[in-house]
Amino acid sequence: MSTLLSPSDRAMLAGEHGPASQMAMRILERMRPIVGADAYLDITAAHIDSALYQGDATLAFAERLAALGARVAVPTTLNVSGVDEQGWHAWAVPEDWAEKARRQMVAYQSMGCKPTWTCAPYQESQRPALGDQIAWGESSAVVFANSVLGARTAQYPDLLDICAAITGRAPAAGLHLEENRAGQVLFRLQGVPSGLMESDSFYGVLGHLVGKAVGDRIPVIDGLEARPTEDQLKALGAAAASSGAVALFHMIGITPEAPTLEAAFQMRRPERVMDVTMELLRTARDELSTAGETKLDMVVLGSPHFSLAEFRALAPLLRGKRRHPDVQLLVTASRVVRALAARDGSAAAIEAFGGTVTVDTCILTTPMLPRKVETLMTNSAKYAYYAPGLLGTRIVYGSLEDCVCSAVSGRIERDDTLWGT
Protein backbone atom coordinates (compact mmCIF):
# COMPACT_ATOMS: atom_id res chain seq x y z
CA MET A 1 0.00 0.00 0.00
CA SER A 2 1.43 3.36 -1.00
CA THR A 3 1.28 5.95 1.74
CA LEU A 4 0.22 9.53 1.04
CA LEU A 5 0.96 11.62 4.13
CA SER A 6 0.63 15.39 4.09
CA PRO A 7 3.48 17.65 5.21
CA SER A 8 1.49 18.32 8.39
CA ASP A 9 1.09 14.60 9.05
CA ARG A 10 4.84 14.10 8.71
CA ALA A 11 5.53 17.08 10.95
CA MET A 12 3.33 15.64 13.68
CA LEU A 13 5.03 12.27 13.36
CA ALA A 14 8.40 13.98 13.72
CA GLY A 15 7.29 15.73 16.91
CA GLU A 16 7.37 19.22 15.43
CA HIS A 17 3.94 20.01 16.95
CA GLY A 18 4.77 18.64 20.38
CA PRO A 19 4.84 15.24 22.09
CA ALA A 20 1.07 14.85 22.47
CA SER A 21 0.27 15.24 18.78
CA GLN A 22 3.26 13.03 17.98
CA MET A 23 1.89 10.28 20.23
CA ALA A 24 -1.59 10.63 18.72
CA MET A 25 -0.28 10.55 15.15
CA ARG A 26 1.88 7.53 15.85
CA ILE A 27 -1.18 5.65 17.13
CA LEU A 28 -3.15 6.64 14.04
CA GLU A 29 -0.28 5.44 11.85
CA ARG A 30 -0.30 2.06 13.56
CA MET A 31 -4.02 1.75 12.85
CA ARG A 32 -4.07 3.17 9.31
CA PRO A 33 -3.09 -0.03 7.45
CA ILE A 34 -5.43 -2.08 9.64
CA VAL A 35 -8.45 -0.05 8.46
CA GLY A 36 -7.19 -0.11 4.87
CA ALA A 37 -6.31 3.56 4.40
CA ASP A 38 -3.36 4.96 2.47
CA ALA A 39 -4.02 8.57 3.44
CA TYR A 40 -5.76 10.81 5.96
CA LEU A 41 -8.54 13.37 5.64
CA ASP A 42 -9.39 16.46 7.67
CA ILE A 43 -12.23 16.23 10.19
CA THR A 44 -14.42 19.06 11.43
CA ALA A 45 -15.50 17.59 14.80
CA ALA A 46 -15.04 14.68 17.18
CA HIS A 47 -17.01 12.89 19.90
CA ILE A 48 -14.95 11.01 22.47
CA ASP A 49 -16.04 7.70 23.98
CA SER A 50 -12.62 7.33 25.64
CA ALA A 51 -13.77 9.72 28.38
CA LEU A 52 -15.61 6.79 29.97
CA TYR A 53 -13.59 5.38 32.87
CA GLN A 54 -13.16 1.63 32.40
CA GLY A 55 -10.20 0.94 34.64
CA ASP A 56 -6.66 2.07 35.38
CA ALA A 57 -5.56 1.74 31.73
CA THR A 58 -8.06 4.29 30.37
CA LEU A 59 -7.22 6.70 33.19
CA ALA A 60 -3.47 6.34 32.62
CA PHE A 61 -3.89 6.98 28.88
CA ALA A 62 -5.92 10.12 29.47
CA GLU A 63 -3.59 11.52 32.10
CA ARG A 64 -0.56 10.74 29.93
CA LEU A 65 -1.99 12.79 27.06
CA ALA A 66 -2.93 15.60 29.43
CA ALA A 67 0.56 15.65 30.96
CA LEU A 68 2.04 15.96 27.47
CA GLY A 69 -0.07 19.09 26.91
CA ALA A 70 -2.57 17.59 24.47
CA ARG A 71 -5.18 19.93 22.96
CA VAL A 72 -7.91 19.00 20.53
CA ALA A 73 -7.67 20.53 17.08
CA VAL A 74 -11.41 20.48 16.30
CA PRO A 75 -14.61 21.06 18.32
CA THR A 76 -14.88 17.96 20.49
CA THR A 77 -17.70 16.67 22.68
CA LEU A 78 -17.45 14.04 25.41
CA ASN A 79 -19.47 10.86 25.76
CA VAL A 80 -20.85 9.61 29.07
CA SER A 81 -18.49 9.49 32.02
CA GLY A 82 -18.04 6.63 34.44
CA VAL A 83 -19.93 8.55 37.12
CA ASP A 84 -22.54 11.23 37.75
CA GLU A 85 -20.05 13.80 39.04
CA GLN A 86 -22.46 15.43 41.47
CA GLY A 87 -25.01 12.70 42.20
CA TRP A 88 -23.02 9.49 42.53
CA HIS A 89 -23.30 9.47 46.35
CA ALA A 90 -26.99 8.54 46.04
CA TRP A 91 -26.12 5.22 44.39
CA ALA A 92 -23.95 2.18 45.08
CA VAL A 93 -20.87 3.66 43.39
CA PRO A 94 -17.59 2.85 45.22
CA GLU A 95 -15.69 5.96 46.27
CA ASP A 96 -12.48 4.79 44.59
CA TRP A 97 -14.32 4.30 41.28
CA ALA A 98 -15.90 7.74 41.52
CA GLU A 99 -12.55 9.43 42.21
CA LYS A 100 -10.80 7.77 39.29
CA ALA A 101 -13.71 8.48 36.96
CA ARG A 102 -13.60 12.13 38.04
CA ARG A 103 -9.86 12.31 37.33
CA GLN A 104 -10.48 10.96 33.83
CA MET A 105 -13.16 13.60 33.29
CA VAL A 106 -10.72 16.31 34.36
CA ALA A 107 -8.03 14.99 32.02
CA TYR A 108 -10.24 15.19 28.95
CA GLN A 109 -11.57 18.62 29.84
CA SER A 110 -7.95 19.84 30.14
CA MET A 111 -7.47 18.93 26.48
CA GLY A 112 -10.16 21.42 25.44
CA CYS A 113 -13.02 18.95 25.07
CA LYS A 114 -16.53 20.25 25.75
CA PRO A 115 -17.91 18.61 28.95
CA THR A 116 -21.17 17.39 27.40
CA TRP A 117 -21.04 13.94 29.08
CA THR A 118 -23.71 12.46 26.84
CA CYS A 119 -24.12 9.66 24.31
CA ALA A 120 -26.43 11.97 22.34
CA PRO A 121 -24.34 15.10 21.61
CA TYR A 122 -26.61 15.94 18.68
CA GLN A 123 -29.30 16.95 21.21
CA GLU A 124 -27.37 19.96 22.49
CA SER A 125 -24.28 20.83 20.47
CA GLN A 126 -23.75 22.17 16.98
CA ARG A 127 -24.55 19.28 14.71
CA PRO A 128 -22.38 18.10 11.85
CA ALA A 129 -24.02 18.68 8.48
CA LEU A 130 -24.66 16.37 5.55
CA GLY A 131 -21.32 15.20 4.17
CA ASP A 132 -19.17 16.54 7.03
CA GLN A 133 -16.18 14.37 7.91
CA ILE A 134 -16.08 13.70 11.67
CA ALA A 135 -14.54 11.23 14.12
CA TRP A 136 -17.18 10.03 16.55
CA GLY A 137 -17.04 7.24 19.10
CA GLU A 138 -20.00 5.50 20.88
CA SER A 139 -22.09 3.21 18.73
CA SER A 140 -25.48 4.94 19.03
CA ALA A 141 -23.96 8.36 18.32
CA VAL A 142 -22.08 7.01 15.30
CA VAL A 143 -25.14 5.41 13.70
CA PHE A 144 -27.19 8.58 14.32
CA ALA A 145 -24.54 10.83 12.78
CA ASN A 146 -24.12 8.64 9.71
CA SER A 147 -27.77 7.76 9.15
CA VAL A 148 -29.93 10.63 10.38
CA LEU A 149 -27.53 13.56 9.87
CA GLY A 150 -25.68 12.19 6.86
CA ALA A 151 -22.28 13.08 8.31
CA ARG A 152 -19.40 10.66 7.74
CA THR A 153 -17.62 8.79 10.49
CA ALA A 154 -16.17 5.38 11.08
CA GLN A 155 -17.04 3.48 14.25
CA TYR A 156 -14.11 4.91 16.23
CA PRO A 157 -12.91 2.71 19.10
CA ASP A 158 -11.88 4.10 22.45
CA LEU A 159 -8.47 5.81 22.48
CA LEU A 160 -8.38 6.23 18.69
CA ASP A 161 -11.15 8.85 18.79
CA ILE A 162 -9.12 11.27 20.92
CA CYS A 163 -6.08 10.76 18.65
CA ALA A 164 -8.18 11.92 15.70
CA ALA A 165 -9.42 14.91 17.71
CA ILE A 166 -5.88 15.97 18.69
CA THR A 167 -4.51 15.71 15.15
CA GLY A 168 -7.65 16.82 13.32
CA ARG A 169 -7.09 13.87 10.99
CA ALA A 170 -8.75 10.52 10.33
CA PRO A 171 -7.86 7.56 8.08
CA ALA A 172 -9.54 7.92 4.70
CA ALA A 173 -11.37 4.61 4.76
CA GLY A 174 -14.67 2.95 5.58
CA LEU A 175 -17.76 5.10 5.89
CA HIS A 176 -15.74 8.26 5.34
CA LEU A 177 -15.79 7.34 1.63
CA GLU A 178 -18.85 7.66 -0.61
CA GLU A 179 -18.42 4.27 -2.28
CA ASN A 180 -18.55 2.49 1.08
CA ARG A 181 -21.90 4.00 2.10
CA ALA A 182 -24.13 2.07 -0.31
CA GLY A 183 -26.84 -0.12 1.15
CA GLN A 184 -26.23 -3.86 1.17
CA VAL A 185 -29.31 -5.61 2.62
CA LEU A 186 -32.91 -4.63 1.82
CA PHE A 187 -35.62 -4.96 4.50
CA ARG A 188 -39.19 -4.70 3.20
CA LEU A 189 -41.92 -4.08 5.75
CA GLN A 190 -44.80 -6.43 4.96
CA GLY A 191 -48.21 -6.33 6.63
CA VAL A 192 -47.14 -4.10 9.52
CA PRO A 193 -50.14 -2.04 10.76
CA SER A 194 -49.75 1.72 10.38
CA GLY A 195 -50.67 2.17 14.05
CA LEU A 196 -47.68 0.08 15.10
CA MET A 197 -45.40 2.04 12.77
CA GLU A 198 -46.36 5.20 14.64
CA SER A 199 -45.54 3.67 18.02
CA ASP A 200 -42.23 4.44 19.70
CA SER A 201 -41.79 0.81 20.77
CA PHE A 202 -41.81 -0.39 17.15
CA TYR A 203 -38.51 1.27 16.28
CA GLY A 204 -36.42 -0.40 18.97
CA VAL A 205 -37.79 -3.81 17.97
CA LEU A 206 -37.18 -3.16 14.28
CA GLY A 207 -33.63 -2.03 15.04
CA HIS A 208 -32.99 -5.16 17.11
CA LEU A 209 -34.25 -7.38 14.31
CA VAL A 210 -32.23 -5.56 11.64
CA GLY A 211 -29.00 -5.51 13.64
CA LYS A 212 -29.13 -9.26 14.31
CA ALA A 213 -29.73 -9.95 10.64
CA VAL A 214 -26.99 -7.78 9.10
CA GLY A 215 -24.13 -7.61 11.60
CA ASP A 216 -21.89 -4.80 10.34
CA ARG A 217 -23.43 -4.48 6.87
CA ILE A 218 -25.58 -1.51 5.79
CA PRO A 219 -29.34 -2.11 5.94
CA VAL A 220 -31.92 -0.31 3.81
CA ILE A 221 -35.48 -0.19 5.16
CA ASP A 222 -38.40 0.25 2.77
CA GLY A 223 -42.16 0.32 3.19
CA LEU A 224 -42.51 2.60 6.21
CA GLU A 225 -45.93 4.27 6.18
CA ALA A 226 -45.21 6.76 8.95
CA ARG A 227 -42.92 9.72 9.38
CA PRO A 228 -40.65 8.75 12.29
CA THR A 229 -39.51 11.30 14.82
CA GLU A 230 -35.86 11.92 15.52
CA ASP A 231 -36.15 10.00 18.79
CA GLN A 232 -37.68 7.03 17.00
CA LEU A 233 -34.78 6.99 14.53
CA LYS A 234 -32.40 7.32 17.48
CA ALA A 235 -33.98 4.23 19.07
CA LEU A 236 -33.80 2.22 15.84
CA GLY A 237 -30.13 3.02 15.28
CA ALA A 238 -29.11 2.36 18.88
CA ALA A 239 -30.83 -1.03 18.82
CA ALA A 240 -29.25 -2.01 15.48
CA ALA A 241 -25.82 -0.98 16.73
CA SER A 242 -26.32 -3.15 19.84
CA SER A 243 -27.69 -6.40 18.42
CA GLY A 244 -25.40 -6.04 15.41
CA ALA A 245 -22.66 -3.57 14.60
CA VAL A 246 -24.65 -1.26 12.35
CA ALA A 247 -22.96 2.12 11.85
CA LEU A 248 -25.20 3.34 9.01
CA PHE A 249 -28.73 2.55 7.91
CA HIS A 250 -30.85 4.01 5.14
CA MET A 251 -34.62 4.45 5.30
CA ILE A 252 -36.27 5.17 1.97
CA GLY A 253 -37.77 8.64 1.79
CA ILE A 254 -36.65 9.42 5.35
CA THR A 255 -32.87 9.51 5.78
CA PRO A 256 -30.84 12.03 3.74
CA GLU A 257 -28.92 9.61 1.53
CA ALA A 258 -31.96 7.52 0.63
CA PRO A 259 -34.48 9.62 -1.32
CA THR A 260 -35.03 6.54 -3.49
CA LEU A 261 -34.18 2.85 -3.37
CA GLU A 262 -31.72 3.35 -6.23
CA ALA A 263 -29.92 6.15 -4.39
CA ALA A 264 -29.66 4.13 -1.17
CA PHE A 265 -27.99 1.24 -3.02
CA GLN A 266 -25.97 3.54 -5.31
CA MET A 267 -27.54 1.74 -8.27
CA ARG A 268 -26.27 -1.64 -7.06
CA ARG A 269 -28.32 -4.77 -6.41
CA PRO A 270 -29.01 -5.77 -2.79
CA GLU A 271 -26.89 -8.62 -1.50
CA ARG A 272 -29.99 -9.95 0.22
CA VAL A 273 -33.70 -9.10 0.53
CA MET A 274 -35.60 -9.82 3.75
CA ASP A 275 -39.33 -9.35 4.31
CA VAL A 276 -40.13 -8.03 7.79
CA THR A 277 -43.40 -9.58 8.93
CA MET A 278 -45.35 -9.29 12.16
CA GLU A 279 -44.23 -12.79 13.08
CA LEU A 280 -40.57 -11.76 12.85
CA LEU A 281 -41.23 -8.55 14.77
CA ARG A 282 -43.04 -10.36 17.58
CA THR A 283 -40.13 -12.81 17.86
CA ALA A 284 -37.64 -9.92 18.02
CA ARG A 285 -39.74 -8.20 20.69
CA ASP A 286 -39.84 -11.37 22.78
CA GLU A 287 -36.04 -11.61 22.62
CA LEU A 288 -35.78 -8.25 24.41
CA SER A 289 -37.37 -9.59 27.60
CA THR A 290 -35.77 -12.14 29.94
CA ALA A 291 -37.89 -11.77 33.08
CA GLY A 292 -40.27 -14.64 33.63
CA GLU A 293 -42.16 -13.17 36.56
CA THR A 294 -44.16 -10.00 37.19
CA LYS A 295 -42.07 -8.65 40.10
CA LEU A 296 -40.39 -5.34 39.22
CA ASP A 297 -37.60 -3.41 40.97
CA MET A 298 -36.79 -0.51 38.65
CA VAL A 299 -37.88 1.27 35.49
CA VAL A 300 -34.97 2.71 33.49
CA LEU A 301 -35.35 5.27 30.69
CA GLY A 302 -32.79 7.11 28.62
CA SER A 303 -30.53 4.95 26.46
CA PRO A 304 -29.45 6.83 24.45
CA HIS A 305 -29.90 9.79 26.77
CA PHE A 306 -33.39 11.22 27.11
CA SER A 307 -34.13 14.17 24.83
CA LEU A 308 -36.20 17.21 25.77
CA ALA A 309 -39.02 15.84 23.58
CA GLU A 310 -38.94 12.61 25.58
CA PHE A 311 -39.09 14.51 28.88
CA ARG A 312 -42.13 16.34 27.54
CA ALA A 313 -43.77 13.08 26.47
CA LEU A 314 -43.14 11.46 29.86
CA ALA A 315 -44.32 14.33 32.07
CA PRO A 316 -48.09 14.11 31.32
CA LEU A 317 -48.01 10.35 31.86
CA LEU A 318 -46.68 10.91 35.40
CA ARG A 319 -48.70 13.89 36.60
CA GLY A 320 -51.08 13.08 39.43
CA LYS A 321 -49.48 9.67 39.95
CA ARG A 322 -46.88 8.24 42.30
CA ARG A 323 -44.52 5.34 41.83
CA HIS A 324 -45.07 2.16 43.80
CA PRO A 325 -42.84 2.17 46.91
CA ASP A 326 -41.08 -1.00 45.75
CA VAL A 327 -40.22 0.32 42.25
CA GLN A 328 -37.63 2.97 41.41
CA LEU A 329 -37.80 5.17 38.30
CA LEU A 330 -34.50 6.31 36.81
CA VAL A 331 -34.06 8.61 33.80
CA THR A 332 -30.59 9.26 32.39
CA ALA A 333 -29.87 12.43 30.42
CA SER A 334 -27.25 15.08 29.79
CA ARG A 335 -26.78 18.08 32.05
CA VAL A 336 -27.99 20.47 29.37
CA VAL A 337 -31.17 18.55 28.57
CA ARG A 338 -31.98 18.11 32.26
CA ALA A 339 -31.61 21.86 32.74
CA LEU A 340 -33.97 22.51 29.82
CA ALA A 341 -36.47 20.00 31.23
CA ALA A 342 -36.25 21.70 34.63
CA ARG A 343 -36.94 25.06 33.01
CA ASP A 344 -40.15 23.92 31.29
CA GLY A 345 -41.40 21.87 34.25
CA SER A 346 -41.18 18.40 32.71
CA ALA A 347 -38.37 17.34 35.05
CA ALA A 348 -40.46 18.41 38.04
CA ALA A 349 -43.11 15.85 37.08
CA ILE A 350 -40.51 13.09 37.46
CA GLU A 351 -39.51 14.33 40.89
CA ALA A 352 -43.14 14.59 42.00
CA PHE A 353 -43.70 11.03 40.81
CA GLY A 354 -40.81 9.88 43.00
CA GLY A 355 -38.34 9.34 40.18
CA THR A 356 -34.73 10.42 39.71
CA VAL A 357 -32.86 12.03 36.84
CA THR A 358 -29.18 11.09 36.66
CA VAL A 359 -26.75 12.93 34.38
CA ASP A 360 -23.22 12.46 32.99
CA THR A 361 -23.33 8.67 32.89
CA CYS A 362 -25.28 5.54 31.97
CA ILE A 363 -26.55 2.72 34.13
CA LEU A 364 -24.75 0.29 31.81
CA THR A 365 -21.32 1.85 32.37
CA THR A 366 -21.14 2.71 36.06
CA PRO A 367 -21.52 0.43 39.14
CA MET A 368 -24.49 2.35 40.51
CA LEU A 369 -27.17 -0.31 41.00
CA PRO A 370 -27.64 -1.84 44.46
CA ARG A 371 -27.70 -5.64 44.56
CA LYS A 372 -31.37 -5.72 45.45
CA VAL A 373 -32.26 -4.52 41.93
CA GLU A 374 -32.83 -7.72 39.99
CA THR A 375 -35.58 -6.95 37.47
CA LEU A 376 -35.60 -3.88 35.23
CA MET A 377 -38.15 -2.56 32.75
CA THR A 378 -37.26 -0.19 29.94
CA ASN A 379 -38.48 1.30 26.68
CA SER A 380 -34.93 1.11 25.28
CA ALA A 381 -34.02 -1.87 23.12
CA LYS A 382 -30.36 -1.00 23.73
CA TYR A 383 -30.80 -1.25 27.52
CA ALA A 384 -32.81 -4.43 27.08
CA TYR A 385 -30.10 -6.03 24.95
CA TYR A 386 -27.18 -5.19 27.24
CA ALA A 387 -28.64 -5.29 30.76
CA PRO A 388 -28.62 -9.08 31.32
CA GLY A 389 -24.94 -9.38 30.37
CA LEU A 390 -23.55 -6.12 31.75
CA LEU A 391 -25.70 -5.76 34.86
CA GLY A 392 -26.69 -9.34 35.59
CA THR A 393 -30.36 -8.34 35.77
CA ARG A 394 -33.57 -9.62 34.25
CA ILE A 395 -35.20 -7.24 31.81
CA VAL A 396 -38.58 -6.45 30.26
CA TYR A 397 -39.01 -4.30 27.15
CA GLY A 398 -42.17 -2.21 26.81
CA SER A 399 -43.54 1.10 25.62
CA LEU A 400 -43.16 4.30 27.62
CA GLU A 401 -46.77 3.95 28.70
CA ASP A 402 -46.13 0.35 29.79
CA CYS A 403 -43.16 1.50 31.86
CA VAL A 404 -45.21 4.15 33.67
CA CYS A 405 -48.13 1.80 34.34
CA SER A 406 -45.74 -0.79 35.74
CA ALA A 407 -43.95 1.73 37.94
CA VAL A 408 -47.30 2.76 39.43
CA SER A 409 -48.72 -0.74 39.96
CA GLY A 410 -45.47 -2.30 41.19
CA ARG A 411 -45.66 -5.18 38.74
CA ILE A 412 -44.86 -5.69 35.05
CA GLU A 413 -47.71 -4.64 32.80
CA ARG A 414 -47.68 -4.49 29.00
CA ASP A 415 -50.37 -3.57 26.50
CA ASP A 416 -49.85 -5.94 23.58
CA THR A 417 -52.75 -4.67 21.45
CA LEU A 418 -50.62 -3.09 18.72
CA TRP A 419 -48.53 -6.25 18.46
CA GLY A 420 -51.51 -8.50 17.85
CA THR A 421 -50.94 -10.73 20.87
Side-chain angles (χ1 to χ4, degrees):
M1 178 184 294
S2 60
T3 304
L4 303 173
L5 300 185
S6 72
S8 177
D9 296 334
R10 296 185 186 280
M12 282 189 280
L13 280 172
E16 295 176 17
H17 297 287
S21 59
Q22 182 183 41
M23 176 179 167
M25 197 68 203
R26 283 178 173 176
I27 293 171
L28 286 171
E29 265 295 275
R30 291 289 296 272
M31 292 298 296
R32 180 182 52 76
I34 295 174
V35 299
D38 60 4
Y40 294 95
L41 47 78
D42 289 329
I43 59 170
T44 60
H47 180 66
I48 309 302
D49 194 33
S50 306
L52 172 62
Y53 173 72
Q54 298 179 72
D56 290 342
T58 60
L59 174 59
F61 183 83
E63 293 190 330
R64 170 69 170 164
L65 281 173
L68 292 174
R71 298 289 296 179
V72 295
V74 295
T76 301
T77 51
L78 291 170
N79 198 49
V80 295
S81 165
V83 70
D84 178 340
E85 191 175 24
Q86 304 300 324
W88 66 270
H89 302 84
W91 299 92
V93 180
E95 188 170 346
D96 179 61
W97 174 284
E99 174 56 21
K100 289 181 177 180
R102 186 198 65 80
R103 283 170 52 192
Q104 193 160 318
M105 294 169 80
V106 169
Y108 278 99
Q109 288 182 82
S110 77
M111 300 180 208
C113 301
K114 185 178 179 182
T116 45
W117 311 122
T118 180
C119 54
Y122 44 84
Q123 293 176 351
E124 59 184 74
S125 300
Q126 183 175 355
R127 298 179 177 206
L130 178 66
D132 281 357
Q133 299 286 0
I134 60 175
W136 277 24
E138 209 288 317
S139 62
S140 70
V142 167
V143 69
F144 188 94
N146 276 319
S147 310
V148 182
L149 303 181
R152 300 185 174 193
T153 179
Q155 178 77 280
Y156 279 90
D158 287 1
L159 312 185
L160 196 63
D161 49 13
I162 187 62
C163 294
I166 291 168
T167 61
R169 302 282 276 169
L175 294 177
H176 285 291
L177 306 181
E178 174 71 19
E179 61 267 25
N180 295 330
R181 297 176 67 84
Q184 295 168 295
V185 180
L186 176 61
F187 291 83
R188 301 184 300 196
L189 300 180
Q190 300 285 325
V192 181
S194 58
L196 181 59
M197 291 186 190
E198 294 171 356
S199 167
D200 290 347
S201 61
F202 167 70
Y203 291 88
V205 172
L206 178 61
H208 176 73
L209 185 157
V210 166
K212 280 192 65 179
V214 302
D216 62 355
R217 290 180 294 172
I218 299 174
V220 176
I221 301 167
D222 193 20
L224 193 72
E225 298 176 0
R227 190 77 188 180
T229 66
E230 184 171 285
D231 285 316
Q232 289 170 338
L233 294 174
K234 175 186 75 172
L236 189 157
S242 301
S243 64
V246 174
L248 166 64
F249 69 86
H250 299 300
M251 185 173 284
I252 304 304
I254 303 295
T255 55
E257 296 174 74
T260 64
L261 203 60
E262 293 75 15
F265 282 100
Q266 295 184 14
M267 306 304 293
R268 305 172 194 173
R269 293 178 62 86
E271 298 173 5
R272 178 185 170 198
V273 177
M274 180 173 176
D275 289 338
V276 177
T277 64
M278 283 303 300
E279 181 180 2
L280 289 176
L281 287 167
R282 283 191 287 263
T283 298
R285 181 174 180 249
D286 290 343
E287 291 171 353
L288 292 171
S289 295
T290 61
E293 67 287 318
T294 60
K295 179 182 178 295
L296 180 62
D297 299 309
M298 178 181 279
V299 169
V300 185
L301 308 171
S303 180
H305 273 171
F306 235 40
S307 68
L308 183 59
E310 288 174 308
F311 270 103
R312 289 172 173 170
L314 176 61
L317 299 177
L318 301 180
R319 290 194 178 105
K321 300 174 184 175
R322 185 77 181 176
R323 68 173 177 86
H324 190 279
D326 295 334
V327 179
Q328 299 180 67
L329 172 69
L330 173 66
V331 178
T332 57
S334 72
R335 297 179 184 185
V336 169
V337 171
R338 181 178 67 173
L340 293 173
R343 185 180 305 168
D344 74 4
S346 51
I350 297 173
E351 183 178 350
F353 181 78
T356 302
V357 179
T358 293
V359 298
D360 297 348
T361 192
C362 170
I363 192 176
L364 296 170
T365 61
T366 186
M368 61 185 291
L369 287 190
R371 292 183 181 275
K372 65 180 181 180
V373 174
E374 297 178 342
T375 303
L376 303 174
M377 187 172 189
T378 185
N379 69 335
S380 163
K382 178 179 179 178
Y383 265 147
Y385 182 82
Y386 284 125
L390 292 179
L391 303 179
T393 58
R394 295 181 291 273
I395 193 77
V396 176
Y397 176 79
S399 68
L400 185 64
E401 293 80 1
D402 291 337
C403 289
V404 172
C405 289
S406 299
V408 171
S409 70
R411 62 196 305 273
I412 295 166
E413 297 187 15
R414 294 201 308 179
D415 183 351
D416 295 332
T417 305
L418 288 174
W419 295 92
T421 58

